[in-house]
Amino acid sequence: MDKSKVIVGLDIGTTSIKVIVAESIQNQLNVIGVGSERSEGLSRGVIVDIDKASASIKSAVAHAEKKANVPINAVYAGIPANMLNIEKCDGIFAVGEPSREITAQDVAQVVNSALIRNLPPEREIVDVLPSEFIVDGFDGIKDPRGMVGTRLEFHGILFTAAKTVIHNTRKAIAQAGLNLAGLVINPLALGQLVLDDGEADFGTIVLDLGGGQSTAAVIHDHKLKYSHVDPEGGEYITKDISVVLNTTLANAERLKREYGNADAELVSSDNQFPVAIVGQTNPQMVGEDYLAAIIQARVEQILQRLGAGLRQVHAFDLPGGIVITGGVSALPGVVELVKKVYQRPVKRYIPDQMGLRHPSFAQGLSIVSYIAQLSEIDILIRRVVDPAEAAPQRAASPSRPAAPAPQRPTAERRPDTAGSRHPQSSPAGEPAPAPKKKKKKTSQRIKNLFTNFFD
């Protein structure tokens, strides 16, 4: 039986930082605390000022601590889809004696063999998801531990991100006085939360319409197959309102929330509201249809850019339709506008947990939900990728004792002739391996996962 555990998710957004504290008891996730703080030091989903970002993180965590009444020392942080690469990876490992059962250490070895590759110096491995294990030619195996075999193969999906994004996230969290328990890829976790089993299996588009940027992701066969980020979001809508109506940003944000609609056809010009104009004493009356036209123009522009990439991978041919979430999706008329632009079925996801009933909390909730649903084999693989990751407090299975955190190998260092490829370095704090005889290894060329992946 699983022991209860507390999971803290950190959603570092461009406009706000959210902290979700949840307790997982026997596969039941209960939110016990929420903290939110306006973001500082972020631009388009990426930390650009570590000092300001760490202060915002610290404040949001303090709010969540107070509401949850539990100390928060470690968090699982989301990584945005900016410059996220999705690739296939494969590994092979000779188990040895035909009568010996496959152990957790064997699984770690075969995953390690899939990670030996020369990455560009600006990229870092974030996560690896297993597609299947193969034991002596028998495929489709989800967990090979306890089986008997001499040859173990691993097929998975490798996610790499910009090293700057990861470093700045780690640095800001550490500077806030917190430990980083692990990283979670935002669109991967969000897809798991907002889609049901059929949608994730047959294929669905997930649109996260945030304040600083908008992200399109494709979930197919329960895997993240595609992601793309548009560097515009709700902030740009607010700026448009401010410029066109000649009012302050604070007033434009208020007008957007109180009177805004993303579809001008759904509102009437008869409904008007006062707008405080900069440089004028008396407010000016503006119709709701005019405000809606301003909002619609920007949202349509975002959707069209995201749609161009989705059409290239034939995502609109998938039967699951479109699920939207994120703060901008809370605007009235957004669902109707997305239907018009994409001509596909659309629904909006809103969390139903108490205190989180707004789509802007979906990403933070998805982080704790993703960690709570990790299987033993998922946790083992994540610890291969990052040996410093904290394993959730689960009761160990009597037939499958938990293995110690394995060490990731590094590719053999060779003279760099082209200057464009470098071996992946060991994570910070990892003990240096004992000197061993060097062996020549052929590094795998990174393959693009999506060459007509829907074909």
Side-chain angles (χ1 to χ4, degrees), residues 1-5 25-27 376 393-398:
M1 181 181 297
D2 288 350
K3 297 178 181 178
S4 64
K5 56 185 180 290
I25 305 176
Q26 297 180 355
N27 298 323
E376 288 184 5
Q393 297 299 315
R394 298 178 183 269
S397 172

Side-chain angles (χ1 to χ4, degrees), residues 212-382:
Q213 61 183 22
S214 304
T215 304
V218 176
I219 308 296
H220 187 227
D221 292 334
H222 294 273
K223 298 179 180 67
L224 176 62
K225 296 293 187 70
Y226 168 87
S227 68
H228 178 70
V229 174
D230 185 85
E232 293 184 3
E235 277 189 335
Y236 286 80
I237 298 173
T238 303
K239 291 177 182 177
D240 289 345
I241 297 172
S242 174
V243 171
V244 175
L245 298 184
N246 196 22
T247 188
T248 64
L249 284 172
N251 195 39
E253 180 67 21
R254 181 185 64 82
L255 296 175
K256 181 181 71 174
R257 295 177 182 273
E258 294 183 3
Y259 304 103
N261 195 301
D263 191 341
E265 294 181 0
L266 301 179
V267 295
S268 170
S269 59
D270 297 333
N271 299 327
Q272 295 188 338
F273 53 88
V275 177
I277 305 299
V278 175
Q280 295 185 14
T281 304
N282 298 323
Q284 180 177 335
M285 300 302 293
V286 174
E288 288 187 2
D289 60 331
Y290 188 57
L291 177 63
I294 299 171
I295 297 173
Q296 179 175 340
R298 177 63 67 173
V299 177
E300 277 186 342
Q301 187 179 69
I302 295 171
L303 294 176
Q304 287 168 358
R305 286 198 296 261
L306 292 175
L310 292 169
R311 289 186 181 91
Q312 288 181 357
V313 296
H314 312 290
F316 293 111
D317 296 336
L318 296 173
I322 301 168
V323 177
I324 65 172
T325 191
V328 174
S329 70
L331 275 172
V334 170
V335 173
E336 291 78 6
L337 182 60
V338 176
K339 286 180 181 178
K340 291 179 182 178
V341 174
Y342 292 147
Q343 297 295 307
R344 298 292 295 153
V346 179
K347 68 178 183 179
R348 175 169 45 206
Y349 174 83
I350 301 175
D352 58 1
Q353 284 81 358
M354 185 68 70
L356 301 180
R357 290 170 182 165
H358 191 277
S360 63
F361 287 100
Q363 186 64 75
L365 179 62
S366 73
I367 295 172
V368 294
S369 176
Y370 182 85
I371 294 298
Q373 296 181 43
L374 289 175
S375 66
E376 288 184 5
I377 200 71
D378 293 329
I379 295 170
L380 174 59
I381 293 174
R382 284 176 64 89

Side-chain angles (χ1 to χ4, degrees), residues 158-176:
L158 177 72
F159 298 91
T160 64
K163 187 171 292 186
T164 299
V165 174
I166 299 173
H167 171 80
N168 290 357
T169 301
R170 287 176 173 156
K171 185 73 173 178
I173 291 172
Q175 198 163 305

Side-chain angles (χ1 to χ4, degrees), residues 52-65:
K52 290 183 178 180
S54 65
S56 297
I57 292 171
K58 192 172 184 178
S59 178
V61 169
H63 294 161
E65 258 184 341

